[in-house]
Amino acid sequence: MHSATRSTQPGPADPVERIRVGVHTKDPISREGVHSQLRRYPEIDLRDENETGPGMVLLLVEDSLDESVLTRLRRLVRSEGARAALVVGALREAELLDVIECGVGAIVWRHEATAARLLQAVHAAARGDGDLPSDLLGRLITQVGSLHRSAAGRPGAPVSGLTPREVDVLRLVAEGFDTGEIAKKLSYSERTVKNVMHGMTTRLHLRNRAHAVAQALREGYI
């Protein structure tokens, strides 16, 4: 009698790791439009907008922002550990830094919100990366540079304590390079770049790459 043996043939491919996404908007047509755009991607797991928690990506769709939206963002990101991406029609100069410091890692203009662009923003938010339109990145650099100059020489000005290696990495992040490109330019491994970013964001209690860039700009490092 032959004993049964377990097959050693490989099984089905592992399922794609899915990203839980909740779409927040006052407009049901906008919600259905975003759902329609994203549900075609197998890695996206669309959830009820009331669900939140660590690892959840909050995709907020607004024509414009007000203090109630910023307050909700702060609560969801800081207290409940969600990641945030913003689709917005207009963003005033005074709101930009507030949005970044609320923990929003990715911003998409409504008129550019194609399915591919939304997917890119969700992935960036899920990874904790920054993904800003080029015109917004320029405005952020200008705005924070102005804040830093106005604070220069003021007694008690905060200092983040960034290392030269962290500054080198953040300068390239601010210019829009991804992890692989930064590694090549600095002759580091990708793991080293990721470790630098993780160590810095953990030590300084930063929420994502965009927040790290904003902090470095505010302190005058870049």
Side-chain angles (χ1 to χ4, degrees):
M1 179 181 294
H2 297 286
S3 61
T5 58
R6 186 180 299 274
S7 170
T8 58
Q9 294 299 315
D14 291 336
V16 174
E17 185 174 353
R18 307 186 75 195
I19 303 170
R20 293 180 296 124
V21 178
V23 178
H24 289 240
T25 177
K26 303 180 186 75
D27 176 8
I29 295 177
S30 295
R31 180 181 295 105
E32 182 53 38
V34 173
H35 277 219
S36 177
Q37 295 273 50
L38 289 179
R39 67 166 57 102
R40 69 186 71 177
Y41 298 106
E43 67 265 42
I44 300 299
D45 180 10
L46 291 166
R47 298 295 186 93
D48 184 272
E49 67 176 286
N50 295 317
E51 183 175 342
T52 187
M56 185 85 174
V57 173
L58 159 68
L59 184 59
L60 185 71
V61 183
E62 297 282 348
D63 286 321
S64 59
L65 300 185
D66 57 28
E67 186 55 40
S68 67
V69 175
L70 293 173
T71 299
R72 181 156 51 112
L73 275 172
R74 293 186 189 101
R75 176 178 59 80
L76 290 169
V77 174
R78 297 180 184 180
S79 301
E80 302 185 28
R83 306 280 189 170
L86 174 67
V87 180
V88 67
L91 199 59
R92 292 178 300 190
E93 203 75 34
E95 296 167 335
L96 179 55
L97 194 59
D98 285 337
V99 168
I100 297 297
E101 293 187 334
C102 280
V104 174
I107 300 175
V108 180
W109 293 125
R110 286 193 70 144
H111 67 272
E112 296 178 349
T114 62
R117 188 68 187 83
L118 290 173
L119 181 68
Q120 178 181 321
V122 167
H123 274 286
R127 293 191 305 265
D129 289 349
D131 183 13
L132 305 183
S134 57
D135 58 327
L136 276 187
L137 184 58
R139 283 164 57 184
L140 178 64
I141 291 171
T142 299
Q143 182 182 357
V144 182
S146 176
L147 286 172
H148 173 71
R149 286 191 296 274
S150 68
R154 198 170 59 208
V159 177
S160 295
L162 296 176
T163 68
R165 174 180 282 190
E166 289 169 345
V167 172
D168 288 342
V169 169
L170 278 178
R171 281 181 178 142
L172 295 175
V173 170
E175 292 176 22
F177 293 105
D178 63 24
T179 299
E181 292 168 331
I182 293 170
K184 288 179 182 177
K185 286 183 173 292
L186 297 178
S187 299
Y188 295 158
S189 68
E190 290 192 26
R191 180 179 294 275
T192 295
V193 174
K194 290 177 181 177
N195 286 342
V196 169
M197 288 299 305
H198 177 73
M200 174 177 52
T201 55
T202 300
R203 187 180 79 252
L204 300 177
H205 307 291
L206 304 170
R207 287 174 289 284
N208 50 50
R209 289 189 179 198
H211 190 199
V213 169
Q215 182 71 13
L217 286 164
R218 183 190 288 278
E219 302 295 342
Y221 282 95
I222 58 178

